[in-house]
Amino acid sequence: MKKIISTILLIMAAVLPMNAASHEVPLIQNARAYEGMSLNGDWNYIVDVQEEGYYDYRMNPTRWGFFVNAKPQKPEDLIEYDFDKSPTMRIPSDWNTQDEKLFFYEGTVWFKKSFQAVPMDDYITLLYFGAVNYDSRVWVNGKETGHHIGGFTPFNYDISDLLKEGENVIIVKVDNKRHAEDVPTQIFDWWNYGGITRDVMLVKVPKVYMEDYSLQLSKKEDGGRRKEISFSVKLNKKEAGHKVTVSIPELKLEKTFTTDANGTIDSQFSLLNSQLKKLQLWCPENPKLYQVQISLDTSTFADEIGFRTIETHDKQILLNGKPIFLKGISIHNEKPNGGGRANTAEDARTLLSWAKELGCNFVRLAHYPHHEEMVREAEKMGILVWSEIPVYWTIAWKNPKTYDNAQRQLTDMIARDHNRANVIIWSIANETPHSAERDAFLGKLAKYARSLDNTRLISMAMEVTGASNYVNRLNDNMNEYVDVVSFNQYIGWYRDVNDAPKMTWEIPYNKPVIISEFGGGAKYGYHGAKNQRWTEEFQENLYIENLAMLDKIEGLSGTTPWILKDFRSPRRVLPGIQDYYNMKGLVSDKGEKKKAFYILKQWYDTK
Ligand code: GCB
């Protein structure tokens, strides 16, 4: 019997990957504000088509996987991999544009980075990933720290106990294979860039630190002008008696609070009349951000925070109590000049300055949370943001794990960006086919989004379902869950452009309306008649007809045409024209402006 038990234990040990206990901790707010160490730079990588670094030849997880980072100890030792002799890749990046052989690759790649550390007893070290697409497992010095799915949101592990003096090794297994039950699902119209696509850093925090904080104008209204500020904090430990001070020197404001037994602070405080007089609200014309210092016990860090309100009234969107027309454009999180995941402030500034030139005060960051720099740069430039999760097309509505995955991505998107004044809309889905299961899934998700953040607007990009006799009728059960009714329409591209002047629109909801997509493809520099597909003239005419049609939609509060820049998509295969690019950009991949760019710009000038 004893023998059987020990044999079973041996088999289990061989089958289970070593130390699968998760070191994941809730996402830290404003990780970049702490002292830390960037792990960006060159990482060794191994392409592992059959995942032999993780599974044995019976497809069981092996304890001798690549995460062990083994080296031969004796001449006869058989070890069939070597990270240190493998090529390197710059991180953050997508592998598709870094290694020609990996352009179409969807599968597993292993990454390894060594770094020097000094373990610090008085601090916690968090290992923070800005995003890894799609499925990742991380090991520090051979111990697994956790498993994460979802390719566009940050996550962090407490690795304090795993660090040792001197050289430490991080190994990450990244797998970007698509599956029907994933979010997004198996099909989507953008490039499935794989890899450690955003920054990696070590974040040094005190033993008791602020997991989250929020500072913003309260929803409560006083004669159209808000007088109160809401401030909340959640510590990583449920401990009472910690002092937290928030100060805004420019407003001569300083307040101290003490945490309750849950390690939280939840307060509202009034501004003095002198502070109120000075307070400049954040808006596109004056994107005022205040330097804010927050200290907890003896540690202090900084953020830049803007103050504004956003709400709807009947069919209007009100920013700081005044109606605003959202002059927007949709954007993918892709670098100009050859594609790849955009992952720097410079990428963000390039894309957003094109949007500015177009006359935009708003961008739809499609179809997943973008790099944090996109949101932060937009905030500095006075550009409002719609942020969304990749609940796109045919999601596995009945699968509870798929729901949990979507909810987790929503939670982390909101957790990362809820202190950004320019984010005004959380969008929970795009063009999803109607069914009772879809309604249940999205209804639950919308309610959940509102429970996390009731200060912003909820929306989703819907579709027009009834379109007979040139009457387009929006009929979506999700209308009751959203604050803003948004829908995509492609008259002039997937439907005849000559229909545009005949169209009427019925949107039977007393809510603001955003046309979240319209557009058509054109190759920059290709000219011809206006009925010649792919010419700039075709796209120009499509914009002229659509904008005239949009002007007739009652309650139209904004639009985000599809799309700012041509972007890579494996679905777009027409040789000589598309060559794996979706060509609906108003600028080419190199930033060359197509004729339609100027049509939209002119229209925005009148708004
Ligand atoms: C859509 C999708 C978008 C596509 C676009 C197109 O409706 O929301 O992701 O890229 O159409 O170009 O067809």
Side-chain angles (χ1 to χ4, degrees), residues 37 39 69 112-119 139-142 159-171 202:
M37 180 169 129
L39 293 177
N69 190 30
K112 182 230 153 194
K113 177 88 180 161
S114 302
F115 63 96
Q116 298 293 317
V118 188
W139 290 263
V140 173
N141 297 329
I159 60 163
S160 318
D161 296 345
L162 305 178
L163 291 179
K164 54 183 197 204
E165 185 93 38
E167 182 169 287
N168 290 264
V169 175
I170 299 182
I171 289 181
L202 295 178

Side-chain angles (χ1 to χ4, degrees), residues 189-190 332 364 367 392-393 430-431 463 488 490 493-494 517 562 567 572 582 584:
D189 189 20
W190 67 85
H332 261 296
R364 174 181 179 207
H367 277 301
Y392 179 98
W393 291 355
N430 179 74
E431 284 188 357
E463 287 175 306
N488 303 346
Y490 277 92
W493 190 251
Y494 299 122
E517 285 179 31
W562 196 252
F567 62 96
R572 308 296 174 171
N582 182 316
K584 297 190 186 71

Side-chain angles (χ1 to χ4, degrees), residues 8-221:
I8 290 173
L9 286 177
L10 257 177
I11 291 170
M12 276 173 62
V15 162
L16 292 173
M18 285 174 61
N19 200 333
S22 178
H23 289 246
E24 184 161 17
V25 290
L27 190 63
I28 185 171
Q29 175 64 211
N30 196 12
R32 51 159 66 203
Y34 292 87
E35 202 184 307
M37 180 169 129
S38 169
L39 293 177
N40 292 348
D42 290 337
W43 290 51
N44 294 94
Y45 69 99
I46 299 174
V47 181
D48 186 10
V49 178
Q50 297 204 1
E51 297 190 89
E52 69 148 328
Y54 192 74
Y55 297 107
D56 66 14
Y57 79 128
R58 297 290 184 248
M59 269 310 272
N60 293 313
T62 167
R63 61 193 314 230
W64 307 116
F66 290 179
F67 45 85
V68 174
N69 190 30
K71 302 280 172 198
Q73 303 298 318
K74 303 191 285 312
E76 63 270 31
D77 281 353
L78 174 66
I79 295 169
E80 294 183 277
Y81 69 98
D82 187 342
F83 276 106
D84 299 318
K85 293 200 176 120
S86 301
T88 60
M89 186 183 292
R90 291 289 297 169
I91 296 298
S93 68
D94 56 274
W95 61 57
N96 315 74
T97 58
Q98 298 301 301
D99 179 340
E100 227 178 291
K101 293 197 294 290
L102 300 181
F103 185 61
F104 285 107
Y105 183 66
E106 297 186 305
T108 285
V109 176
W110 293 81
F111 292 90
K112 182 230 153 194
K113 177 88 180 161
S114 302
F115 63 96
Q116 298 293 317
V118 188
M120 286 162 291
D121 288 344
D122 299 339
Y123 290 92
I124 289 176
T125 303
L126 300 178
L127 170 59
Y128 181 97
F129 289 89
V132 180
N133 190 38
Y134 169 84
D135 178 314
S136 64
R137 290 179 186 275
V138 177
W139 290 263
V140 173
N141 297 329
K143 301 268 171 16
E144 186 166 0
T145 63
H147 177 205
H148 184 267
I149 55 170
F152 303 99
T153 38
F155 52 98
N156 44 218
Y157 300 117
D158 177 352
I159 60 163
S160 318
D161 296 345
L162 305 178
L163 291 179
K164 54 183 197 204
E165 185 93 38
E167 182 169 287
N168 290 264
V169 175
I170 299 182
I171 289 181
V172 186
K173 172 182 183 289
V174 186
D175 183 356
N176 74 335
K177 283 195 285 299
R178 291 165 293 110
H179 305 101
E181 68 278 12
D182 287 348
V183 182
T185 182
Q186 234 157 351
I187 52 166
F188 44 89
D189 189 20
W190 67 85
W191 208 266
N192 185 23
Y193 291 117
I196 304 176
T197 51
R198 295 186 190 159
D199 308 285
V200 190
M201 52 187 173
L202 295 178
V203 184
K204 183 181 140 195
V205 290
K207 290 266 179 205
V208 179
Y209 66 91
M210 269 179 259
E211 212 167 81
D212 192 23
Y213 62 85
S214 150
L215 182 69
Q216 59 184 331
L217 281 186
S218 307
K219 270 189 96 181
K220 203 177 132 213
E221 201 165 344

